[in-house]
Amino acid sequence: MSKRISFWLAWLTWFLFLIITFFAEFLTLKNAPSDNLLGDVFYDLVLLVFITVGAFIASHRPENAIGWIICAATLIWALSVFALEYGVYSLITAPGSLPFGVFVSLIGAVGRGIGWFLIITFLLLLFPNGHLPSSRWRLLAWLIAGLLVAYPFTLLFDPTPFINVDPRLVEVQNTLGISGTSALFDHFNTLVNLLLFATAVACIASVIVRFRKARGDERQQLKWLAYGTIMSLLIIVAIIVYIFTNVDIGFLSSALFYLPVLIISISAGIAIMRYRLYNIDILINRTLVYGVLTALLALIYFGLVFILQSLVRALTGQISQTPLVIVGSTLVIAAIFQPLRRRIQQVIDRRFYRRKYDAARTVEAFSATLRNEVDLSQLREHLITVVQETMQPAHVSLWLRQPERDNKR
């Protein structure tokens, strides 16, 4: 496939997504007034960013299967949402107004699962170059493909396939279903889902194996994916805390559930397009430093507030919080911020970035890169990264002098 055809095909997929999402939202508003309109809008924006990243990768790196997987999975997901809303409208809101309501609903029930499993299996297994880590992983790829083919049959012939899909369609019977086999197909569906999740764990293991063997650009690409995954896991922890504390944060509750997918897609896009690829080490460093710094300052602040409140209560008998306590705690935090940040930076550098303490080895490694690198933009990123890691300047700029032209004839 030529690059021109790939470009138009990728962005045609993006345009189809916009059309499908528009009609899906139209049917959603027709079916029932949305109580969480901002959450629905944010959900659509997340999918829009996701397919934009996929289209950008597919149009610029058509040989890499990752971009096409993202485009296909997002488009299937959007189609499934539209199909389910179509089914609700034709079967519940206005019965008989639209044809083939049950069949279209089945497509929606099947498509949502396939789109999700495509992302958590093949995207991880083929990242970052679109190829398997080695021929040994071919069996896993065929197993995933077989399970994705088997997955639709767990719903297509189930007489009550919508019980776990959409509560609005829970009473709808599948005309293609085999009577009396609902329990059997439920067990079959559970088995297929468990096997797919097991293959997803195996795909995560493939990323770890690939990272241990990777060198150079591929290792940096995998660092970007790992960084996005770790940030997503932290958000998932926040979701769990939110669920157990029952804190009402409005439409942001929906945003938290979709942010992990958004972060992973953006980090994967940066890695594959190799945009500022070698900045990941600096980003990880800064995240570690300011994450630990924020946690320590928060502990110190609340500890000081508690101690000063206890002293004020003991001396004056007042139980209420006084402005003096808040001001004193804030001044202490402001005074220790810079010294504490420098100390944390030194500890993290010494533990995780030892090579900045060995300038000779760093320069030697850069010299090897200099001999093998032919891309000027990549070479510039390498040079700036080495300077930032070893010297940590506040700002780095690189000027390249134009070659002198020989005016002699």
Side-chain angles (χ1 to χ4, degrees), residues 99-132:
F100 309 112
V102 175
F103 300 107
V104 176
S105 300
L106 282 172
I107 294 173
V110 170
R112 189 163 59 177
I114 291 177
W116 171 255
F117 283 116
L118 273 175
I119 294 297
I120 66 172
T121 54
F122 277 116
L123 189 146
L124 295 174
L125 185 61
L126 301 178
F127 186 87
N129 56 12
H131 301 289
L132 296 172

Side-chain angles (χ1 to χ4, degrees), residues 6-7 9-14 17 46-75 119 123 261-262 264-270 272-273:
S6 301
F7 178 87
L9 182 61
W11 291 106
L12 176 62
T13 305
W14 182 86
F17 168 82
V46 168
L47 290 182
L48 177 61
V49 172
F50 202 57
I51 198 168
T52 301
V53 171
F56 194 77
I57 295 173
S59 60
H60 288 78
R61 299 281 192 274
E63 74 285 353
N64 194 321
I66 299 296
W68 300 112
I69 289 173
I70 295 175
C71 287
T74 314
L75 190 62
I119 294 297
L123 189 146
V261 179
L262 182 62
I264 291 176
S265 66
I266 293 175
S267 61
I270 292 173
I272 294 173
M273 298 306 299

Side-chain angles (χ1 to χ4, degrees), residues 20 23-28 31-32 43 76-93 98 100-113 151 155 161-170 172:
I20 293 168
F23 283 107
E25 286 301 322
F26 177 77
L27 287 175
T28 301
N31 288 328
Y43 170 76
I76 290 172
W77 207 325
L79 277 170
S80 68
V81 173
F82 169 76
L84 288 173
E85 294 299 333
Y86 180 98
V88 170
Y89 185 81
S90 63
L91 298 173
I92 307 298
T93 305
L98 296 173
F100 309 112
V102 175
F103 300 107
V104 176
S105 300
L106 282 172
I107 294 173
V110 170
R112 189 163 59 177
Y151 179 80
L155 296 175
F162 304 110
I163 293 178
N164 298 319
V165 175
D166 194 319
R168 297 171 297 178
L169 298 171
V170 67
V172 176

Side-chain angles (χ1 to χ4, degrees), residues 238-270:
I239 293 172
I240 295 173
V241 172
Y242 157 75
I243 291 173
F244 282 98
T245 55
N246 294 320
V247 178
D248 186 12
I249 53 176
F251 81 96
L252 290 177
S253 60
S254 299
L256 284 175
F257 285 94
Y258 305 131
L259 274 178
V261 179
L262 182 62
I263 292 173
I264 291 176
S265 66
I266 293 175
S267 61
I270 292 173

